[in-house]
Amino acid sequence: MPTLRALECLVEAVDRGSVTAAAAALHLSQPALSHQLAALEREVGAPLVERLPRGVRATAAGVAVVEQARVALAAARRSVALGRAVAEGAGGGLRVACAETMVAPLLAPVLRAWRLARPGVALSVVECRGARAVADLLTAQEADLGLAPRPERFDGRVTVVGEEEVVAVLPPDLDPGPALAWADLDGLDVVHFHPDNGLAAWLDEAAAAHGTTLTAVTRTRSATTAVHLAHAGLGVALVPTTALPPAARVAVRPLRPRLTRQVVVLDPAPSDALARRFTADLVSRGVPVPAAARRP
């Protein structure tokens, strides 16, 4: 297989019509360039340049090889330029797997900033229903970076973005006061989660730890949908603050004792420069608290 250096020597010699001039342009000695040409000719099995009294010119085989050599060298230059752009955060692509509740409040602002500052970077998003689904996509190499609650297990770098609280969204006819104790949930209808959403088992375990059992009046796979169902009067929904619509006028109360979880970035390839830059921007933004959760 010919080297790019040998192809570069051939193109330069043919373009300049001189081995001496080509060697000077490539900062090589004349014997070194001649050695590269000889090795390429052995590879092809035919002379590629014809030595003339005053320079060289391409043979028929040389003309054909030079044409494809130009294509190969241009591709190599593009590869290097793309690699440099990716390393500088100005090119390439990034596939982000994100827990569904975190797409709008956490991920979208960073995506918008990147779209404006780095238009050469292709960004795509895959929504997931929990940390396990995000980690599975990264393990299967179907995503490059993950934004989710901290999973039970992940073989890669985990960077903490911040912490979010689980709050109670109340139906319009319920007002327990400034906070909702876990014991207050006994006997109340709860808008719960489908088992394939990681919140379902986690909330059941948290309730059991406080001596409470959650009574599911209905189940949904989406925390955002749970907010709307609670607001419609079906029951109490226990949701992370990232699931609260920013402008929604819903009745929200903190839980006592508090229940929180870490929000993290999962990176299976910590050496990737583009992923590192994106992670730094997510950490810099942090986890915002929506107005509905601040009012109490």
Side-chain angles (χ1 to χ4, degrees):
M1 180 69 66
T3 65
L4 288 174
R5 190 58 162 169
L7 296 177
E8 188 179 34
C9 288
L10 174 64
V11 170
E12 199 70 29
V14 170
D15 285 350
R16 294 181 181 274
S18 166
V19 170
T20 302
L26 296 175
H27 306 289
L28 293 173
S29 66
Q30 185 173 331
L33 188 138
S34 296
H35 175 76
Q36 292 282 355
L37 291 178
L40 186 57
E41 288 177 328
R42 286 195 300 273
E43 184 84 22
V44 173
L48 299 177
V49 293
E50 180 183 358
R51 272 70 175 178
L52 303 174
R54 293 186 177 179
V56 296
R57 67 181 178 189
T59 63
V63 170
V65 172
V66 164
E67 181 180 353
Q68 294 303 314
R70 295 188 195 280
V71 174
L73 291 170
R77 286 191 291 270
R78 287 194 300 272
S79 296
V80 172
L82 177 59
R84 186 177 294 116
V86 171
E88 295 171 352
L94 200 60
R95 301 168 298 170
V96 184
C98 184
E100 57 152 2
T101 62
M102 299 176 184
V103 172
L106 276 71
L107 185 59
V110 178
L111 289 174
R112 182 177 184 275
W114 270 57
R115 183 70 186 91
L116 295 174
R118 299 177 173 88
V121 178
L123 298 167
S124 61
V125 179
V126 181
E127 292 181 277
C128 302
R129 293 196 180 99
R132 183 183 303 172
V134 171
D136 288 346
L137 282 178
L138 294 171
T139 301
Q141 299 183 3
E142 295 178 13
D144 306 307
L145 208 63
L147 178 63
R150 181 184 285 273
E152 294 179 2
R153 179 181 177 184
F154 177 69
D155 297 327
R157 184 175 62 183
V158 178
T159 303
V160 177
V161 176
E163 188 178 76
E164 68 170 343
E165 186 171 357
V166 173
V167 295
V169 180
L170 309 179
D173 59 350
L174 180 64
D175 186 2
L180 185 69
W182 284 92
D184 296 336
L185 291 167
D186 268 332
L188 292 181
D189 291 335
V190 174
V191 178
H192 212 337
F193 295 97
H194 191 277
D196 68 1
N197 186 315
L199 283 169
W202 185 54
L203 290 174
D204 282 338
E205 291 172 3
H210 292 96
T212 301
T213 300
L214 302 181
T215 303
V217 65
T218 188
R219 291 183 181 270
T220 176
R221 288 181 168 86
S222 167
T224 303
T225 299
V227 172
H228 295 303
L229 292 177
H231 185 58
L234 268 74
V236 178
L238 305 181
V239 300
T241 53
T242 52
L244 297 174
R249 305 297 296 181
V250 295
V252 177
R253 296 292 185 273
L255 289 169
R256 292 293 180 265
R258 295 172 71 238
L259 179 63
T260 62
R261 63 180 184 177
Q262 282 187 332
V263 177
V264 299
V265 177
L266 307 175
D267 187 355
S271 62
D272 186 275
L274 202 62
R276 286 203 309 271
R277 288 172 181 269
F278 199 85
T279 297
D281 286 353
L282 286 170
V283 172
S284 176
R285 176 171 175 78
V287 181
V289 179
R294 291 197 298 266
R295 283 196 296 272

